[in-house]
Amino acid sequence: MSDTRRLALATLLGSALAACSLAPHYERPSTPQPPATYKEAGEWKVAAPADAAAHGRWWTMFADPDLDALEAQVSAANQSLKAALARLEEARAQTRIARSNWFPTVTADASVTRAESSVYSSGYVPGKTRTGNAFLLSGDLSYEIDVFGRVRNTVAGARATEQASAGDVGALDLSLHAELASDYFVLRGLDIEQRFLDHTVADYGRALQLTQNLYQGGAAAISDVQQAEAQLETARTQAEDTRLRRAQTEHAIAVLVGREASSFSLTARADDTFPALPVIEPGVPSELLERRPDVAAAERRVAAANAGIGVARAAYFPVFDLTAPSRFWSLGPQAVLTLFDGGLHAAQSAAAHASYDEQVANYRGTVLTAYQDVEDNLAAIRQLQLQSVSQAAAVKATQGALDQANLRYKGGIVTYLEVVSTENAALAARLTAADIDIRRGTAAVQLVKALGGDWNPGAMTVAYRR
C-alpha cells in the first residue's frame, strides 16, 4: 500500500472514530438579571443626540483636536499595548499548535554509511571486497485517533484562550486611551489653576507693596505687612506645587504616546475655559455585557476551562494511534492505557474542575464590577454637575465679599485680617471650581470606558492584527 493511501486511510479512520467529547456542554455562566435602567441615571439624564454616542474613535466626541492628535499615537506607540499584542500572537500560535494534532505526523529518515566487514565475520568470502556503501531511506506515519475528544477539546481551549487574549488587548487599548484622555483633562485643568495662581501671586505682590507703603506712612500696622507677606508666600507655594503636578501629568502623557518625557511637551492654552464635555448616553444595563472587552475575555476563559475538563477526562481512557512504518507493510491502531498512576489523573481532573469554578467566579465578579463602574461614574457626573453649579455661586459670592473687604480696608473700617480672610476664601473657591471641572472631565472619560468605548465584540478574534 502506498504512503498516500495509508495517510488517506488513517485520516478517514480518525474522522470516523473521533465522535466523542468528554467536555461538559458549555453555557455562559448565569449572572443576576440586569435592571431595566441604571439606578444612578435617574431623571436628570438628558437624552443625548445621536452623534454624542460612543462610536468609531470614541474620544472624538470631546471635539478637541489636541486630544485627537494624542490619542492617534497610543495604539501605534504604547509599549504596554505592544506587549499585549505579542501575547495575542503567542495565543494564536498556541491555537495553531493545538490544531496540528488533527493531522498525521509523517517523518523521514535517510542515512548513508561506508563500512568494511571483518575477515572474522560469518559472511566473509575470501577474495571479495570487504568495503562497501549502504544507503537507507525510510519513513514513518503516526496519527492519534481522537476517540475521546482530547485533541478537539485542546483546540477548543486554545481557541477560547486566544479569544480571551484578544479581549485583553481590547481592554488594555480602551484603558490606555481612557487614561490618556483623563490625564489630558487633568493637565488642562491644571493650566487653568496655574494661570489663576500666577495672577493671584502678582495681585498679592502688589497688595504687599501697598501694605508696606501704608506701614511706612504710619497708616498700617506691622502685623498687616506680615499677614500680606505670609499670604503671598503661601500662594507662591501653591503655584509651584501646581507646576509640579502639571509636569508630572505631562510626563505620564509622554509615556502613553511612546515618547521620552525629556523631549515631550504640551503648550498651555491661553484661555481659562475648560474643554466642553458631551452628554453621554449609557444605554440599558442588558447591553453592557456585550460592550466590554474585559467581560468578554473573562467569559472566554470560562469556556477554555470548560474544555480543559474534557481534556482531563480523556486522560482516563486509552490513546489510540495509527502507525505505518515504511520498512515493512503494517498499518493498525495501537491503544495505550495507564493502569496505575498514583492518583495523577484524578488530581488533574480535580484541578480542571477547580480552574473552571475559579473562572466562573472571576467572570461573575467582572460583570458585577462592570455594573459598578457605570453606576459610579453616572453618579459622579450627576453630582459633580450639581457641585459645579453651587461652586460657581460660591466663586461669585466670595469675589463680592472680597471687593467689599478691600473697600472697607481702604476706608479704614476693618483690619487687613479681614481682607486676607476673604482673599483666601476667594482663592479656595476658584481652585475648587477648577478641581470640579477636572473631576467632571475624568468622570466623563471613565463612563465611556465603563461602557466599553467603541469596542467591537464581533471582531474580537481578528482584531489587532498587524
Side-chain angles (χ1 to χ4, degrees):
M1 179 182 293
S2 67
D3 287 346
T4 303
R5 294 181 62 187
R6 293 175 189 171
L7 177 60
L9 178 59
T11 304
L12 180 61
L13 289 173
S15 300
L17 293 174
C20 176
S21 174
L22 300 179
H25 175 68
Y26 178 72
E27 293 183 359
R28 177 187 292 182
S30 61
T31 56
Q33 182 68 27
T37 59
Y38 290 108
K39 179 183 70 172
E40 297 295 345
E43 297 180 356
W44 68 273
K45 187 72 179 67
V46 180
D51 59 355
H55 58 83
R57 298 176 300 167
W58 58 262
W59 51 86
T60 60
M61 71 171 66
F62 294 98
D64 190 314
D66 291 338
L67 176 60
D68 294 345
L70 291 169
E71 294 283 8
Q73 302 175 48
V74 173
S75 295
N78 186 270
Q79 298 303 309
S80 296
L81 189 57
K82 287 184 177 181
L85 287 168
R87 289 192 294 271
L88 175 57
E89 290 302 322
E90 180 182 359
R92 286 173 174 152
Q94 291 296 329
T95 300
R96 294 194 297 271
I97 291 172
R99 284 187 185 137
S100 68
N101 291 321
W102 270 334
F103 303 96
T105 299
V106 181
T107 61
D109 180 34
S111 64
V112 179
T113 59
R114 181 175 178 81
E116 181 179 77
S117 60
S118 172
V119 295
Y120 301 105
S121 65
S122 59
Y124 171 69
V125 178
K128 186 177 180 180
T129 180
R130 294 186 294 119
T131 303
N133 298 323
F135 300 90
L136 178 63
L137 178 64
S138 63
D140 291 284
L141 178 148
S142 64
Y143 177 63
E144 179 181 342
I145 306 172
D146 194 24
V147 177
F148 299 104
R150 187 194 71 82
V151 175
R152 187 187 317 170
N153 286 311
T154 300
V155 173
R159 184 183 296 113
T161 300
E162 175 190 334
Q163 293 169 336
S165 294
D168 290 341
V169 173
L172 179 59
D173 184 73
L174 174 61
S175 178
L176 291 172
H177 283 288
E179 184 179 352
L180 173 60
S182 295
D183 287 348
Y184 178 80
F185 287 129
V186 169
L187 183 139
R188 291 309 181 199
L190 290 174
D191 284 342
I192 294 174
E193 292 185 13
Q194 188 67 64
R195 277 190 294 275
F196 181 71
L197 283 167
D198 288 343
H199 288 313
T200 299
V201 168
D203 291 341
Y204 285 0
R206 288 190 290 270
L208 175 59
Q209 184 62 53
L210 174 62
T211 306
Q212 288 174 334
N213 293 339
L214 290 174
Y215 168 71
Q216 292 171 359
I222 186 61
S223 60
D224 291 351
V225 176
Q226 293 170 336
Q227 288 170 345
E229 185 175 5
Q231 187 180 44
L232 171 61
E233 297 305 326
T234 299
R236 282 176 174 164
T237 299
Q238 290 178 286
E240 295 306 321
D241 184 65
T242 300
R243 286 190 177 88
L244 171 61
R245 293 165 57 198
R246 206 263 187 196
Q248 292 175 334
T249 303
E250 187 178 68
H251 301 162
I253 293 175
V255 173
L256 288 170
V257 299
R259 301 273 298 277
E260 293 181 356
S262 300
S263 60
F264 178 82
S265 63
L266 285 173
T267 304
R269 289 181 175 174
D271 60 83
D272 292 336
T273 304
F274 194 79
L277 302 177
V279 177
I280 301 168
E281 175 57 57
V284 295
S286 59
E287 296 177 345
L288 186 62
L289 303 189
E290 307 298 331
R291 294 172 62 173
R292 284 186 51 137
D294 59 336
V295 172
E299 186 274 331
R300 287 289 81 199
R301 287 191 169 87
V302 177
N306 186 78
I309 293 176
V311 174
R313 286 177 175 175
Y316 282 103
F317 299 90
V319 175
F320 291 91
D321 286 321
L322 285 177
T323 59
S326 65
R327 296 183 186 180
F328 52 86
W329 193 92
S330 174
L331 176 64
Q334 294 179 346
V336 179
L337 175 64
T338 301
L339 299 179
F340 177 76
D341 62 5
L344 173 63
H345 289 164
Q348 290 173 333
S349 180
H353 281 85
S355 177
Y356 174 82
D357 293 340
E358 177 190 2
Q359 297 304 328
V360 169
N362 288 341
Y363 169 71
R364 288 172 175 160
T366 303
V367 170
L368 293 175
T369 301
Y371 287 122
Q372 178 191 355
D373 289 345
V374 176
E375 296 286 5
D376 282 352
N377 288 288
L378 283 172
I381 289 176
R382 182 185 67 222
Q383 296 304 131
L384 288 169
Q385 174 60 31
L386 295 176
Q387 290 181 37
S388 178
V389 173
S390 60
Q391 192 61 31
V395 169
K396 183 177 180 181
T398 54
Q399 184 60 48
L402 177 58
D403 293 340
Q404 290 297 317
N406 282 323
L407 291 174
R408 289 159 61 86
Y409 176 69
K410 292 177 181 178
I413 301 175
V414 298
T415 66
Y416 193 70
L417 179 61
E418 181 174 328
V419 176
V420 171
S421 177
T422 53
E423 283 180 333
N424 288 338
L427 174 61
R430 288 187 178 274
L431 293 178
T432 299
D435 182 66
I436 290 174
D437 283 337
I438 292 174
R439 294 168 62 195
R440 287 179 62 214
T442 300
V445 171
Q446 293 304 311
L447 178 57
V448 174
K449 176 186 174 184
L451 294 171
D454 57 348
W455 182 72
N456 179 10
M460 183 168 64
T461 57
V462 296
Y464 306 103
R465 289 194 181 276
R466 291 291 185 265

